[in-house]
Amino acid sequence: MALSLVIGFSLAYITLLFLIAWWVDKRAEQGVSVVNNPYIYALSLAVYCTAWTFFGSVGRATTGGLSFLGVYLGPTLLAPLWYMLLRKMILISKHQRITSIADFISARYGKSTLLGVLVTLIAVLGIVPYISIQLKAVTFGINTLTHFGGGPVAAPASILLDAGFWVTVAMAIFTVIFGTRKLDPNERHEGLVAAVAFESIIKLVTFTAVGLFVTFGIYNGFGDIFTQATYRPDTAKMLTFESSGVTSFSWNVLMMLSLFAIILLPRQFHISVVENTSPRHIPKAMWVFPLYLLLINIFVLPIALAGKMMFDSGIHPDTYVLSLPLAKGAAWLALAAFIGGFSAATSMVVVEATALSIMFSNHIVVPLLIKTRSIGGNDLVNGAARLLDIRRISILLMLILAYWYQKSVGNTYDLVSVGLISFTAAAQLAPAVIGGLYWKRATHQGAVSGLVVGFLIWAFCLPLPSMAQAGIISNTFVTEGLFGIAFLKPYALFGMTGLDPITHAAFWSLFLNTWAYAIISVNTQPSMLSLTQADLFVNIHKYISGQEYDILKREAKIGDLKAVLNRFLGESRSLSLFNEYQQANGFLPDNQKIAQAELISFVETNLAGAIGAASARLVIDSVAKEEQITLDEVMRILEQTREAVQHSRIMETKNEELKVLTLQLTRANEQLKQLDRLKADFITTVTHELRTPVTSIKALSRIILDDYERLDDERRTAYLQIIVNESDRISRLINQVLDIEKLRSAEQLHSVDTVDLREIMLSTVAGMQQLFAERNVTCSLPHSGDAFLVKGDRDKLIQVMVNLLSNALKFCDPVSGNIKIELHIKGHFVLLRVQDNGKGIPMHARDMIFEQFTQLHSHEQGKPQGTGLGLFITKKIVEQHGGTIRVESEPGEGATFEVKLPLFEQ
Amino acid sequence: MQISDSASKILVVDDEPNIVIALEYLLQREGYEVHKAYTGQEALDRLETITPDVVVLDVMMPGMDGFEVARRIRQMPALECTKIIFLTAKGTQRDKESGYASGAEYYMIKPFENEVFVSTVNEIMAYG
Amino acid sequence: MSDDRSSQLIILFFAFVVLLNYPVLQIFDRKELWFGIPALYFYFFFIWLTLIVVVGLVVRKKRKS
């Protein structure tokens, strides 16, 4: 195939891409965002699939079998977490106008210049090999198309005759045109995104076309190709992990590296975070993007198997995608496939180099220029134009570096091996980014330590040995170990052998990186700015809904701020920003006035979009005086924010508490009402109990008075006796009511004697003999003649006895009542038991009967018996004597009251 | 004091024996034949065998209360002409109303004047 | 509601981490063709497709509510 045809087609394709980008950018200027669409977002994410995927996966499959899938299963695995992780990163980045992964890490750890530089270095040096394989793949492709079947391509006599050089130049030009056309404060390039999404479609369509051609054109479908593959040992071993030498650990590491790569590679961060038009696109991308990955991988294994079976070792497996159609005479398909691979490579290089150039200019060049006062004084040339120039130069430098790497090192290795070196480098950012998102305690020092350790181990274990093997530097440190120390061999660090270089390097670098990050973070104190940024990153949700928290008290002249903005964003952009601010805040900035902290933040944020957070901070610092702010103040402000969030939660709790309190009050009120009822009942009862004896006394005394002569002596005496008894009853009742008050006020006993309970019992029974007789109740007494001595108040103990007996008497069987009294000694206690043979006490009433005013009010029991005070008083007296009282009862079997008092022992 | 067969019969029901003693004396002095009961149930049992002209009822008694006894008496056809007097310490207007509602003719509150009680009974006996 | 979905997605993530790693892969790493397709290759694409469908269903629920 003629070279002119290939170049002509490529140029035509590039022109098409430009047209798409130009049209989309134009629409954007008109206010219509074409790329604001979840499918375009998902397709643009497929910038992940580079020439590595297009050419390299097939090559990888011939040596590593199915392990090539790990690179796509890792990102697929992470997709479910995008909902939390990616969304959070986007929210933070939009809020802080973050424009690169270096900016992200720098901003998180206190807008650190050092971290910005460090991450940029890791990214640039780490990604150079990755860019180099794109250049190599395109060069490879051109050579394959133009020299197929013509033997090996001779080394070019001069650099000007090297296809690779011209590919590099072309790529640099594309990138400059696509990525540095204008300086946008948000680093949004809609045209670029649209072109990338379009290229993703081309990649998938062309690769699938080749796959279909191979599977169904050359072979008879999947079954045929796989069955044939099992017949040959070299292809059969590609079909399982075991036979292709993939170990479980190397698989785990590969999955982990690619899982990190999908968010940490500078171009992935740029497309998924910086170019994201809305977080609402994430849910759809979560399944569309993995679907894209699945589709583009279906035919990798069939193509690899077919190539292996059809070609000898003369044709490099990385070119099978082109060689197979060419070998079968399908030249146009091969050309289409080349365009697909070319798409994959250009999209990667353009986005990656753009992202890296933003980092390079914002984190290395601009801070340097500000420090040396080359820009930042009052005698500035147009900063915006200069910034774009810096980016263009950095793109050129990076591509030259990549070209050099490909020429000197890259040719020794296949595409995927080189690509994985870059993956391992990108993964070094994982602890700082993920820790930064969820671990507030992580410090600037921790992040620096982790990155330095990880980067050094990565450099020592991967690119340096590969350069040594390419003969650029001495090989002795690889074979003998660094400084001749065997423990420091780059492929067997600390004596760890048996792992492939990537797995080995990934293990040590990530392990020690994470370790250093965590240990140093725990042992250092974050700065004040770092603390506020940490809070913002970890708790972004509380910031985006609420107000800005500008805790730094800064002062600057409005004129200075305007000048600074002019310098970096250009006159027109800066003017429109100030107008925007003026409209929103409604005042006219006077150049000599001191700006509000709010305006300073506004300028800084917009500046950050153009030159990165750290640089923006330096620029603003050059015109603004910052008041010293104490740690206490920072803590207080952070506390306020937290309080605001917690406030609603507290309110909820309070509401709950209020409900509980209301319930308690209602209950207390119920209890009070109940008590009120009890008191009313008590008064009614007392009244009734008083009226009853008074009735007898009044009626009988009247009889004696009226009929004195007519009454015989016996009757007269009996009536008078009744009058005396009933009068006693009244006194008793009055005394009981008074006793309650006494019991309440005096918890202690006044007089303490040694009392014999048996003697008290006998005299009480004797005193109540008449009552027993009237009620026809028999009383059985204990037979023992021993004394039962207790310490106590004799009168009160008599009262206990009387109360228990009258209680028993009241509840006795009305026909054949019997009361049984027992006295025992049990251990150090005297037990007095009074048993009646009445109806017994219902279960529910047993706990209540010792309470004040409680009387039995059941239908069976009818009228309340007594005052409701007797047992209450009894219990109080027993307790005063250090004893207890309880009741046992079976309904229908009577009740037994048992008083337990401490025995007096001499 | 003669108690003849033709003497008017009165049943006194009260759980307080001392009150029963007083009432018994007062009524016997007037020449009535006095029967006694100490609970509501006992009263109803006695009414199976005798047909008094007047029943003097207490309200608050163990077991069945006086209101219930009155209601049961009013359901006994044999006692159609029997008059009921409540004699109770429960003196509220509501208690009185329940007393009349349960079928009593008179409601007297304890403590009572002996003369008033006696003359009330006599009136009932004379005029129905 | 959003927290529910987050939890579901986190559970999904861990479930598929297990499904796509050793020792589960050991079960399917065999020299057999299933429906004319190598067993492990078949397994990978089956799980892959399952994940896409499940994630699609989980995030779809959101828009309805």
Side-chain angles (χ1 to χ4, degrees), chain A residues 508-732:
Chain A
W508 279 121
S509 59
L510 282 175
F511 172 61
L512 295 175
N513 174 340
T514 311
W515 190 249
Y517 173 69
I519 290 292
I520 303 290
S521 285
V522 170
N523 288 298
T524 48
Q525 287 301 319
S527 68
M528 284 172 288
L529 183 58
S530 180
L531 212 60
T532 64
Q533 287 295 98
D535 189 59
L536 190 140
F537 272 58
V538 175
N539 303 315
I540 181 67
H541 294 278
K542 87 180 177 196
Y543 289 90
I544 44 170
S545 51
Q547 61 276 50
E548 299 259 348
Y549 292 88
D550 192 52
I551 64 157
L552 295 165
K553 297 174 176 172
R554 288 179 294 183
E555 286 183 350
K557 278 189 192 155
I558 289 172
D560 289 347
L561 290 174
K562 267 187 180 171
V564 164
L565 215 52
N566 281 348
R567 220 171 289 147
F568 290 95
L569 298 181
E571 194 95 31
S572 63
R573 178 77 188 124
S574 125
L575 203 65
S576 74
L577 275 175
F578 264 91
N579 284 337
E580 190 184 301
Y581 182 82
Q582 197 178 316
Q583 273 169 6
N585 294 277
F587 74 90
L588 195 72
D590 176 342
N591 286 353
Q592 286 311 306
K593 281 260 173 69
I594 298 298
Q596 308 274 326
E598 220 180 318
L599 177 61
I600 300 178
S601 291
F602 175 78
V603 171
E604 184 181 341
T605 327
N606 279 290
L607 209 52
I611 59 176
S615 300
R617 182 152 180 73
L618 284 173
V619 170
I620 295 295
D621 281 351
S622 68
V623 295
K625 281 184 295 178
E626 190 170 308
E627 266 180 49
Q628 207 50 46
I629 179 167
T630 64
L631 188 64
D632 282 350
E633 249 175 303
V634 176
M635 292 316 291
R636 184 178 51 74
I637 290 159
L638 285 181
E639 224 30 69
Q640 279 173 355
T641 349
R642 200 170 310 137
E643 268 168 26
V645 174
Q646 280 172 356
H647 192 64
S648 59
R649 245 175 262 153
I650 291 167
M651 285 307 282
E652 271 171 39
T653 325
K654 285 260 189 263
N655 207 8
E656 279 306 307
E657 280 169 9
L658 214 63
K659 274 184 197 162
V660 173
L661 211 63
T662 313
L663 204 69
Q664 281 174 346
L665 271 174
T666 318
R667 277 198 200 130
N669 195 29
E670 275 308 310
Q671 276 173 353
L672 276 175
K673 278 187 189 163
Q674 174 76 15
L675 210 61
D676 210 38
R677 266 199 296 278
L678 280 175
K679 277 200 168 158
D681 285 354
F682 174 67
I683 288 165
T684 316
T685 313
V686 168
T687 317
H688 184 266
E689 289 300 301
L690 282 171
R691 272 179 177 165
T692 303
V694 166
T695 307
S696 308
I697 292 168
K698 191 180 176 189
L700 289 169
S701 51
R702 188 81 218 171
I703 288 167
I704 294 169
L705 194 63
D706 291 348
D707 298 350
Y708 190 81
E709 298 301 326
R710 269 206 276 166
L711 288 171
D712 53 55
D713 281 354
E714 198 189 335
R715 237 181 222 215
R716 211 156 47 211
T717 316
Y719 289 178
L720 284 170
Q721 185 61 51
I722 292 173
I723 292 171
V724 171
N725 287 346
E726 295 285 36
S727 306
D728 286 346
R729 191 172 158 189
I730 295 171
S731 324
R732 217 163 46 234

Side-chain angles (χ1 to χ4, degrees), chain A residues 69 73 76 294 298, chain C residues 16 19-20 28 34-35 37-54:
Chain A
L69 284 175
L73 286 171
T76 303
L294 181 144
I298 288 176
Chain C
F16 281 92
L19 287 173
L20 289 174
F28 301 93
W34 292 358
F35 313 103
I37 295 166
L40 189 60
Y41 198 65
F42 182 86
Y43 173 73
F44 274 137
F45 279 86
F46 177 74
I47 294 296
W48 203 338
L49 200 61
T50 310
L51 184 143
I52 292 165
V53 170
V54 174

Side-chain angles (χ1 to χ4, degrees), chain A residues 49 67 314 332 391 432 446 458 489 506 516 676 686 762 800 832 858 866:
Chain A
C49 297
S67 68
W332 286 103
R391 290 192 184 174
W458 167 80
K489 286 183 190 171
D676 210 38
V686 168
L762 289 176
V800 167
L832 165 68
S858 71

Side-chain angles (χ1 to χ4, degrees), chain A residues 150-165:
Chain A
V153 183
S158 123
I159 195 170
L160 294 177
L161 294 176
D162 179 19
F165 173 74

Side-chain angles (χ1 to χ4, degrees), chain A residues 29 78 134 205 209 218 293 325 440 448 495 577 615 673 821 891:
Chain A
E29 276 166 30
L78 192 67
Q134 313 301 322
V205 169
I218 305 177
L293 293 181
K440 216 165 140 183
V448 171
L577 275 175
S615 300
K673 278 187 189 163
I821 307 171

